[in-house]
Amino acid sequence: METTRHTKFRTWALLSLAAAFVLPAGPALAQSYPSRPVTLVVPQAAGGTNDIVGRLVGQKLGEVMNNASVVVDNRPGAGGNIGTQLVAKGPKDGYTLLMTISSSQAINPALYKNPGFDPEKDFKPVGLVGAVPNVLLVNPSFPAKNLAELLKLARAKGANYQYASAGNGTLNHLLGEMLNSMAGISMQHVPYKGVAPALNDVLGGQLPIVFASLPSALPHIKAGKLRALAVSGEKRSPVLPDVPTIAEAVPGYNGTLWIGLFAPAGVPPDVLATLQDATRKALASKDLRDKLDQQGVEIAASTTPEQFSALLHDDLAKWARIVKASGAAVD
C-alpha cells in the first residue's frame, strides 16, 4: 500500500513539473507577444492621411517590438464603419488592431443610425498618435487670395459657392457646415466618395473650394496646384506657418482631426500593456517624429491611454451637437 501511494505521488509530481514547462503563467505569455504578424486595420483607403500615418507608425511599432511584423490592412467603406466593425467583432488576442481617425470613431456614432460598433465599449485605447489640421483650399483661379476675401465673396448678394468634401458627414463636410454657421455664409456642400476625388475636381476647376487634411493636401500646396487659405486647428501649423487659422477670422472656430490606435475590448491586460508601452516608445523616437512632422502631424505629447479615452468621450459629445445642428444623417 505504501509503495502504491509513493508511486502515485511521484507520478503527480512529474506531471506537475511537466505542466509548469508546458503551460507558462500569464506574464510569460505577454513576454512572447507578438509571436506572429500584427495587423493594423485602417478603415480608410490607401493614400489618405490615416493610411500614411498608419504605415509610418506600424513600421516603428514593429521595430520596437523586437522587429515584429506589423502590416497595414486597408478596409474602407461606410465612412470607416466597415473596418471599425471588423476589429470590434474580431479576435481579442492583440493581433488585430485599429488605426483610426476621429471622424470615424467620434463622429460616425452620431451620424449613422447604426454604425455597428460602440466606440467606448468595444475598444480599449492603445495610444493617441497626434492631431492633423484640415486646410481650407481653393483652386488657384479662384478670386479670393485669403479667408477674409472668401468670406466677403460668400456673403455677397446672390453668391452661390460650392465646396467639396470626402462624403456626407465626414469631418471636412462638418468643417464647412461649421464655417457656414459661425461666419454667416451659405456655401453648398457637394459630397464625394473620398478625399482623392474631391481634391481632383477642385484641382481640375470643377469646384472651387475643398477642406482636406494637411498630409493629403500638402503636395498640391507645395506644387502650387491648390491655394491654402486657412487651417482648421486652434494654432498655425509649423508646416504652413504663413497660413492663418480660420479662428483668426472667425473666433472660436476649431476643428482638428486626431489619429489613434485602439485594441478591441477583451484583449488580455498584459498584452494591452505591452502594446501601450511599445506605442509610447515608438512615438518617442526621433526618426518617427521627424517623419510625422514632415506630414504636418502634431505629435501627441505624453498623452496617457486614460487621457486619450477622456478625449474620445468629450469629442463624442462635441460632434454629436455639431452633427445635429448640421442636419447630416446617414442610414
Side-chain angles (χ1 to χ4, degrees):
M1 181 69 69
E2 187 67 29
T3 301
T4 301
R5 282 200 298 267
H6 179 73
T7 300
K8 287 183 177 179
F9 175 80
R10 186 172 64 177
T11 302
W12 173 85
L14 289 171
L15 289 172
S16 298
L17 183 62
F21 284 100
V22 174
L23 298 174
L29 287 173
Q31 291 174 7
S32 66
Y33 172 88
S35 59
R36 54 188 172 86
V38 176
T39 298
L40 294 189
V41 173
V42 170
Q44 287 80 34
T49 295
N50 194 27
D51 177 66
I52 294 169
V53 173
R55 292 179 188 279
L56 291 173
V57 173
Q59 180 181 3
K60 178 54 65 173
L61 196 59
E63 293 175 11
V64 170
M65 295 193 296
N66 298 318
N67 291 317
S69 175
V70 179
V71 297
V72 170
D73 182 9
N74 296 93
R75 295 296 183 103
N81 288 347
I82 290 177
T84 307
Q85 291 173 21
L86 178 71
V87 179
K89 298 175 181 178
K92 322 297 184 186
D93 54 10
Y95 288 94
T96 304
L97 308 174
L98 178 70
M99 178 67 76
T100 192
I101 52 180
S102 53
S103 57
S104 293
Q105 204 76 351
I107 295 176
N108 284 5
L111 181 68
Y112 289 80
K113 290 183 179 180
N114 181 22
F117 65 92
D118 186 305
E120 294 182 290
K121 293 181 180 179
D122 291 342
F123 294 94
K124 290 291 185 181
V126 174
L128 177 64
V129 175
V132 180
N134 266 244
V135 189
L136 176 57
L137 304 156
V138 296
N139 183 283
S141 65
F142 192 69
K145 299 296 188 294
N146 53 55
L147 180 57
E149 292 181 4
L150 171 60
L151 296 179
K152 183 178 180 180
L153 289 170
R155 288 169 180 151
K157 185 177 180 179
N160 185 26
Y161 293 109
Q162 296 178 317
Y163 75 96
S165 85
N168 188 33
T170 57
L171 179 63
N172 37 36
H173 167 207
L174 297 178
L175 290 174
E177 293 304 312
M178 273 206 300
L179 185 60
N180 278 342
S181 175
M182 296 180 70
I185 59 177
S186 55
M187 296 187 299
Q188 181 183 351
H189 171 231
V190 180
Y192 284 77
K193 293 182 179 180
V195 70
L199 282 170
N200 284 338
D201 269 13
V202 177
L203 285 164
Q206 284 80 10
L207 267 74
I209 305 164
V210 65
F211 279 90
S213 61
L214 182 52
S216 58
L218 197 56
H220 303 300
I221 296 170
K222 289 183 175 180
K225 296 179 179 179
L226 290 173
R227 181 185 303 135
L229 299 188
V231 295
S232 67
E234 61 183 358
K235 59 183 180 180
R236 295 191 181 195
S237 170
V239 178
L240 298 173
D242 296 329
V243 177
T245 66
I246 294 176
E248 291 177 45
V250 184
Y253 189 102
N254 181 23
T256 300
L257 179 86
W258 52 252
I259 301 174
L261 183 62
F262 291 86
V267 166
D270 47 3
V271 172
L272 179 63
T274 298
L275 283 166
Q276 291 170 338
D277 183 60
T279 301
R280 178 182 58 78
K281 290 176 180 176
L283 293 174
S285 64
K286 186 178 184 304
D287 58 337
L288 178 60
R289 296 178 74 89
D290 288 345
K291 290 175 183 177
L292 292 175
D293 281 342
Q294 292 168 9
Q295 295 293 332
V297 179
E298 300 169 5
I299 307 296
S302 303
T303 303
T304 66
E306 292 75 21
Q307 291 170 326
F308 187 16
S309 182
L311 171 64
L312 172 61
H313 184 78
D314 291 345
D315 271 6
L316 284 165
K318 168 188 172 180
W319 288 112
R321 292 191 298 269
I322 294 171
V323 168
K324 183 177 180 180
S326 72
V330 179
D331 291 333

